[in-house]
Amino acid sequence: MNAAAVGDTGAMKTGLVLGAGGLVGMAYHAGVLHALEQEAGFVAGAADLIVGTSAGSVCGAYLRAGWTTEDFWHLALGDHPELPRIGGDDPIAARRQILTPTFRSPFDFMRIAVGSAYIAGRSVARGIPLPIPGVLAHLFPGGLFTMDEGRRRFQEELPAEWPADDLYLCAVDINTGRRVVLGRPGSPEIDLAHAVMASSAIPGVYKPVRLGRMTLVDGGAHSTSNLDVAVKARCDRIIGVIPLAYDTASAPNPLHQLLRRWPARSLAGEAAAARGRGVDVLLLRPSADEVRLHGLNMMRADGLDDVAKAAYESTCRALATDRFRSLLTPSAA
């Protein structure tokens, strides 16, 4: 299928929803999207709308900046001819790039930990507006770590201007508890690199991004998928790649189901609501074997090539079913 089959023909508006999932999630996205293009002809960058959350925001922004699924694939495998592998070759050095401490002393650690705990709590306590007083924000800054390498690369590799094609990146304003969809008409102005940083600012782990009176953190605090954003944008067909959920037809063990319960239930509700409005929804989620491969540390920098390869293979198996094929062919429009 060519790009026109899922693009701007007017016959069907396609939304690509890329969920949260850390570095492991980015490798999962790389495998799934590459398989969709190679095996089914679905060109991710040609989707009418891309909705990204956290790791999905990174992938979505780079797709709109001109990257191909092959770029992501070779980046995950560590054999890209021009780019260093995700996380680098040295796991310890990679961890320092991904999790650079913001504290220099035990005292620093204590005061930043207090601020981080507050931010983490505010991220899940919705519906109670509670702006952070400036003096307290200064004394107890949130975010025990920064992502120095990520910030540098975003600023160097992503355009300052927002892409012409629709790209919505999800964050949460902890002052109000509300989701903020950056890039959507009427949303606050912000450059692309900072929007990606805001959508990826894991509450309590990374420093929030200030935007006017808002204090923005990872959109996964609202939903690790945010599939409903594509529904509100009037997409007729939604392809959701959700690393933190799991394939209900190949459920993992009870422990992993428990750990992924909130992402899975949130996604199920969003997908059911979309289908109830007549939207075609195709979900790609890790199988039980993949969930075990992903492990518990979604920010690890090692083994990402195996994650990408497993995602490619599982997507190929999914594409062998009639229903998945029918949703990815022009006849479905």
Side-chain angles (χ1 to χ4, degrees), residues 80-104:
H80 196 287
E82 299 178 4
L83 300 170
R85 69 185 300 163
I86 298 175
D89 295 315
D90 182 348
I92 296 177
R95 190 175 299 113
R96 290 172 180 166
Q97 292 177 347
I98 300 164
L99 297 169
T100 306
T102 57
F103 52 89
R104 297 183 178 181

Side-chain angles (χ1 to χ4, degrees), residues 250-269:
S250 177
N253 62 47
L255 175 60
H256 282 119
Q257 287 189 49
L258 179 62
L259 294 174
R260 291 173 176 247
R261 181 180 180 182
W262 180 65
R265 293 187 65 178
S266 177
L267 174 63

Side-chain angles (χ1 to χ4, degrees), residues 86-159:
I86 298 175
D89 295 315
D90 182 348
I92 296 177
R95 190 175 299 113
R96 290 172 180 166
Q97 292 177 347
I98 300 164
L99 297 169
T100 306
T102 57
F103 52 89
R104 297 183 178 181
S105 68
F107 175 75
D108 273 348
F109 174 81
M110 291 300 296
R111 68 188 186 87
I112 295 174
V114 170
S116 298
Y118 174 84
I119 288 174
R122 289 294 306 146
S123 299
V124 297
R126 304 175 193 163
I128 308 176
L130 186 62
I132 305 173
V135 63
L136 291 181
H138 178 72
L139 290 174
F140 302 100
L144 290 167
F145 302 94
T146 62
M147 192 186 300
D148 288 344
E149 179 65 10
R151 179 186 295 107
R152 181 190 67 79
R153 292 187 63 171
F154 296 156
Q155 292 175 341
E156 289 181 358
E157 298 170 355
L158 294 174

Side-chain angles (χ1 to χ4, degrees), residues 283-302:
L283 297 178
L284 292 148
R285 301 152 293 176
S287 65
D289 289 340
E290 288 179 280
V291 170
R292 286 194 296 271
L293 180 62
H294 290 189
L296 300 179
N297 180 11
M298 300 297 286
M299 294 301 293
R300 63 185 175 86
D302 60 301

Side-chain angles (χ1 to χ4, degrees), residues 189-219:
E189 291 189 8
I190 185 173
D191 66 80
L192 187 55
H194 281 89
V196 173
M197 292 295 294
S199 182
S200 306
I202 303 172
V205 177
Y206 291 122
K207 296 177 65 175
V209 172
R210 311 284 180 177
L211 181 61
R213 295 184 178 181
M214 296 187 294
T215 303
L216 301 178
V217 297
D218 195 317

